[in-house]
């Protein structure tokens, strides 16, 4: 096994659109992007009270930056370099502007990796197995294994009992975890709640697996009373379960202990089921929440995955996938070309991502993440309370920093704040970079806009079906 770079907790004393430039280009200007049109269903625009047309973004081909050939004298004039510098300056301004109004997606934008800029000139590629070096010498395996060891300690599994790698995103973690489950149980049936991330159902399609969708409680948590009969109906086949450590829309946490108990009560012994825990966001927050159910390999689970660019904060998508060593042999194969083994989904893997994760884990440590978690939960409760005070229906699950509320009527407002929406609800994910001041700014603008949306006979929607009667403050449930 390659030696991991040790990660230590710090001492207690110890955050658009671009186009080919015109002649009168102004690099500091911010261009307001027009709202995309509503896409009609089946080509016919038929509004319905029960259904809502999905608003899709613009076709990027209409705004893409065309690549042009340099002019013959460009090396002398430098016009091409100047033009590209201008494009990038404008793009940076656009990114800064859009970051100011980012609330709907679970990305921690509070980070500074200036110290790693010195490494951006290297093509760092962690080909194949992170624990076995390949012939390609420009890698960061020592950092990668250090990160993996940190997460192994977090989820209580010994170094010689786990295998894992740093993925390119949370979806890859789900794809890998479910693939391991499928390889362990080739005839197994995949069970997942209806509110699971779409990548879980993508995995079922890719692997041609039979997939059973399980109903959820109003909180978004898996309904084990609905899981039970579905397990009993397929007792002759092994069960592969996806357990959500924070659902995509409502931030609901499936109770792992209740899921395991349900499996056991339905006659599934530990050698006849495989559990993958999708902890994309909350998998790193849960260990620092008091009273939260524990995600641990001391329980009969098969794998856990988290995203690195979400709660940790990273400039590129990445993630961590951990599984049991005993399972990985079904996937692993020797690759002579690499002089290594490979059991990953992707062959080439971003060698810079482990550096970013290693850097932040070292700087923050367990105490730093605990502080971030407490801040997020505190600010999420503040947002939920302020929404209720303003007469806006809202819900916040106990173990979550995702605040669900009524969907704004104005799609331009949704786009401005980059809100994630589903049906009649939207959500704000309170991350470490989201301050009280930013939430107040958002709330004040929402209340002001809302006063123009609901006038006369136009009333706010009832979303009791989505968030429960106790959280709905519509005219019917006040």
């Amino acid at each position: 096994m390659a030696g991991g770079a040790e990660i230590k907790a710090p001492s207690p004393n110890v955050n658009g659109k671009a186009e080919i430039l015109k002649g009168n280009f102004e690099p500091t200007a911010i261009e307001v992007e027009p709202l995309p049109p509503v896409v009609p269903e089946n080509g016919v625009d038929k509004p319905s009270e029960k259904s809502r047309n999905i608003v899709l973004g613009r076709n990027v081909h209409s705004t893409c930056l065309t690549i042009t050939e340099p002019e013959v004298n460009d090396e002398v004039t430098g016009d091409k370099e100047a033009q590209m510098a201008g494009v990038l300056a404008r793009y940076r301004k656009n990114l800064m502007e859009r970051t100011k109004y980012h609330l709907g997606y679970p990305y921690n934008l509070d980070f500074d990796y200036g110290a790693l800029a010195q490494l951006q000139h290297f093509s760092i590629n962690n080909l194949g197995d992170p624990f076995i070096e390949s012939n390609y010498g420009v890698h960061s395996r020592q950092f990668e294994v250090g990160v993996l060891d940190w997460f192994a300690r977090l989820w209580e599994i010994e170094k010689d009992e786990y295998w894992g790698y740093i993925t390119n995103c949370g979806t890859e973690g789900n794809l890998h975890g479910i693939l391991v489950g499928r390889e362990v149980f080739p005839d197994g049936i995949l069970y997942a709640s209806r509110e699971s991330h779409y990548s879980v159902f993508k995995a079922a399609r890719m692997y041609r697996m039979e997939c059973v969708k399980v109903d959820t409680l109003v909180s978004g948590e898996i309904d084990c009373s609905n899981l039970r009969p579905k397990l009993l109906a397929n007792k002759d086949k092994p069960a592969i379960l996806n357990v959500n450590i924070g659902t995509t829309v409502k931030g609901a946490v499936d109770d792992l202990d209740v899921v395991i108990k349900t499996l056991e009560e339905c006659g599934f012994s530990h050698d006849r089921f495989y559990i993958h825990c999708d902890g994309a966001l909350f998998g790193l927050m849960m260990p620092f929440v008091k009273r939260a159910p524990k995600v641990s390999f001391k329980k009969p689970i098969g794998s856990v995955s988290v995203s690195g660019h979400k709660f940790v904060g990273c400039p590129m998508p990445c993630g961590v996938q951990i599984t049991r060593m005993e399972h990985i042999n079904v996937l692993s194969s020797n690759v002579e070309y690499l002089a290594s083994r490979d059991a990953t989904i992707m062959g080439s893997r971003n060698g810079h991502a482990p550096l970013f994760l290693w850097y932040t884990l070292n700087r923050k440590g367990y105490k730093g993440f605990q502080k971030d978690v407490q801040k997020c939960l505190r600010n999420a409760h503040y947002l939920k309370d302020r929404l209720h005070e303003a007469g806006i229906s809202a819900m916040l699950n106990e173990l979550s920093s995702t605040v669900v509320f009524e969907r704004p009527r104005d799609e331009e407002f949704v786009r401005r704040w980059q809100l994630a929406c589903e049906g009649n609800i939207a959500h704000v994910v309170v991350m470490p970079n989201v301050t009280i001041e930013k939430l107040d700014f958002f709330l004040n603008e929402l209340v002001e806009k809302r006063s123009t949306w609901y006038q006369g006979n136009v009333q706010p929607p009832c979303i009791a079906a989505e968030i429960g009667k106790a959280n709905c403050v519509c005219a019917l449930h006040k």
Side-chain angles (χ1 to χ4, degrees), residues 127-294:
L127 294 157
D129 193 303
F131 300 97
I132 304 174
E133 289 192 10
S134 74
N135 283 339
Y136 184 70
V138 188
H139 63 78
S140 62
R141 279 179 173 82
Q142 62 272 49
F143 294 90
E144 180 173 18
V145 175
V147 171
L148 296 174
D149 283 348
W150 190 91
F151 279 96
R153 291 195 300 273
L154 189 70
W155 295 323
E156 301 182 320
I157 186 168
E158 296 299 323
K159 288 184 179 182
D160 60 350
E161 294 179 359
Y162 88 87
W163 184 91
Y165 72 104
I166 292 181
T167 62
N168 291 301
C169 61
T171 288
E172 186 180 349
N174 287 340
L175 291 176
H176 192 275
I178 294 171
L179 177 60
V180 173
R182 200 280 307 271
E183 293 300 290
V184 172
F185 297 119
D187 61 337
I189 295 176
L190 175 62
Y191 298 85
S193 83
R194 296 185 183 277
E195 299 203 26
S196 298
H197 190 261
Y198 71 88
S199 62
V200 173
F201 307 110
K202 177 193 288 187
R205 292 194 304 272
M206 289 175 64
Y207 305 146
R208 298 291 189 265
M209 297 173 69
E210 182 179 351
C211 181
V212 175
K213 292 185 179 181
V214 182
D215 293 341
T216 57
L217 305 175
V218 69
S219 65
E221 178 184 344
I222 191 169
D223 184 356
C224 284
S225 67
N226 185 252
L227 172 63
R228 184 183 303 272
K230 294 181 176 181
L231 288 171
L232 291 172
N234 299 287
K235 284 187 67 175
D236 58 324
K237 292 186 177 182
I240 302 168
L241 278 95
N242 177 77
V243 170
N244 296 305
I245 314 302
T247 56
T248 309
V249 177
K250 296 181 180 178
V253 176
D254 296 341
D255 193 320
L256 177 59
D257 294 332
V258 174
V259 170
I260 293 171
K261 183 179 179 183
T262 302
L263 281 160
E264 293 171 342
E265 291 176 348
C266 290
F268 287 83
S269 56
H270 291 185
D271 61 352
R272 292 194 64 246
F273 68 77
Y274 180 99
I275 294 176
H276 170 68
C277 298
D278 176 11
L281 171 60
F282 295 111
L284 187 51
M285 296 177 68
M286 288 274 288
F288 307 108
V289 179
K290 292 180 180 179
R291 307 181 309 280
K294 195 174 236 185

Side-chain angles (χ1 to χ4, degrees), residues 31 41 71 197 208 231 237 263 294 298 303-304 346 376 393 413 429 453 458:
E31 183 166 338
E41 188 174 349
E71 299 291 338
H197 190 261
R208 298 291 189 265
L231 288 171
K237 292 186 177 182
L263 281 160
K294 195 174 236 185
K298 291 183 178 179
S303 53
V304 185
M346 304 295 181
C376 291
S393 300
F413 180 87
V429 185
W453 300 337
V458 181

